[in-house]
Amino acid sequence: MRLLNPDDALPHGTVTLANTDDVAAHADALREAPAVTLHFPKWVDGRAYSQAVVLRGRLKYAGEIIATGEVMLDMLPLLRRCGFDAAQLVAGQDLAAADRALGFFPGHYQADPHRSVHA
C-alpha cells in the first residue's frame, strides 16, 4: 500500500467521491478514471470501506483506490483488505509507524470473499 502525506498531490484525473455517494451510479465515469479517492470524514465512519468493496467486487474497478480524510494508521490493514491501494494519512501520522502497521497482520483469519479458497 502506498502511503501519502496530506499535502501529496493525487494522480491527474482522479475522481473524488463522498462517502455518501452511490459508487454504482458513477460506474461509467469511474471506468476511465486512473484513480478514485474515497473519503473518510471521521475515522469512525466506515462507509468508504463498503464503497471500495463495491468498486473492486461488483464494478471490477482496476484503477487505484485512495483513502482520504481522517485516515489513521490503525486503519491501514483493513483498508488494504477492502481494496484500497493508497492512503493519504492525516497530519501527524508517522509514516514509519504506518509501515509497521501494515506488517502487523500479514494474513487473515477468515477467507477473502473475492478469492477462491482453493486458489
Side-chain angles (χ1 to χ4, degrees):
M1 173 175 283
R2 192 163 62 98
L3 301 173
L4 307 169
N5 287 307
D7 57 344
D8 287 345
L10 298 175
H12 179 71
T14 297
V15 173
T16 299
L17 298 177
N19 71 337
T20 55
D21 288 340
D22 177 2
V23 293
H26 296 277
D28 291 336
L30 296 176
R31 273 190 197 89
E32 302 301 320
V36 175
T37 63
L38 301 177
H39 191 68
F40 288 85
K42 296 181 180 182
W43 69 271
V44 294
D45 187 336
R47 290 177 280 185
Y49 292 116
S50 299
Q51 288 175 311
V53 170
V54 170
L55 278 169
R56 292 287 188 224
R58 189 178 340 148
L59 300 180
K60 307 296 184 213
Y61 179 71
E64 186 175 38
I65 301 176
I66 304 166
T68 63
E70 283 197 26
V71 179
M72 310 296 255
L73 64 92
D74 60 340
M75 297 166 63
L76 295 175
L78 186 56
L79 289 170
R80 183 173 53 196
R81 174 96 166 142
C82 290
F84 284 89
D85 301 293
Q88 194 170 41
L89 300 173
V90 297
Q93 296 291 293
D94 180 9
L95 290 179
D99 280 334
R100 286 191 305 276
L102 286 168
F104 287 156
F105 301 103
H108 297 283
Y109 294 110
Q110 69 221 45
D112 186 334
H114 302 291
R115 293 192 179 135
S116 170
V117 175
H118 305 289

